[in-house]
């Protein structure tokens, strides 16, 4: 996903601007893995293989999303992706 696409994306539910956490970029600066979040409704949308997954809630399978969120150090809490607390 090209970073310039971020200016064109909005939350499909409430149309607010999205924030992004970038986890992996390729050598050309394309975003390969990341997490888009809506600060208003607190929904999240993963970016996997450069594709933002912005499926409506009723069609999402949280069980399929959990492994990739854990890979990024995040977990689901009441439908919201939260950072995992690392134990020392």
């Amino acid at each position: 996903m090209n970073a310039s696409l971020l200016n064109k994306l909005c939350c499909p539910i409430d149309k607010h601007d999205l924030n992004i956490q970038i986890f992996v970029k390729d050598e050309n600066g394309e975003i390969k893995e990341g997490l888009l979040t809506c600060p208003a409704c607190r929904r999240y949308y993963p970016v996997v293989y450069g594709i933002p997954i912005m499926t409506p809630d009723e069609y999402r399978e949280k069980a399929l999303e959990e492994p990739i969120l854990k890979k990024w150090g995040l977990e689901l809490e009441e439908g919201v992706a939260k950072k995992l607390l690392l134990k020392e």
Side-chain angles (χ1 to χ4, degrees), residues 28-40:
N28 299 322
E30 298 278 323
I31 301 166
K32 292 297 181 187
E33 293 183 0
L35 188 69
L36 296 163
T37 55
C38 177

Side-chain angles (χ1 to χ4, degrees), residues 50-66:
I51 301 167
I53 310 298
M54 301 179 76
T55 310
D57 292 345
E58 59 268 17
Y59 299 113
R60 294 176 78 168
E61 292 196 40
K62 304 292 186 192
L64 296 175
E65 296 174 1
E66 280 188 75

Side-chain angles (χ1 to χ4, degrees), residues 4-66:
S4 65
L5 180 62
L6 293 173
N7 296 331
K8 296 178 175 106
L9 293 178
C10 67
C11 179
I13 305 301
D14 60 18
K15 309 303 183 227
H16 281 89
D17 289 336
L18 297 170
N19 298 326
I20 186 159
Q21 288 179 282
I22 299 170
F23 300 114
V24 177
K25 281 186 176 184
D26 69 8
E27 61 278 354
N28 299 322
E30 298 278 323
I31 301 166
K32 292 297 181 187
E33 293 183 0
L35 188 69
L36 296 163
T37 55
C38 177
C41 68
R42 299 176 45 115
R43 285 180 173 82
Y44 68 92
Y45 307 98
V47 177
V48 182
Y49 299 115
I51 301 167
I53 310 298
M54 301 179 76
T55 310
D57 292 345
E58 59 268 17
Y59 299 113
R60 294 176 78 168
E61 292 196 40
K62 304 292 186 192
L64 296 175
E65 296 174 1
E66 280 188 75

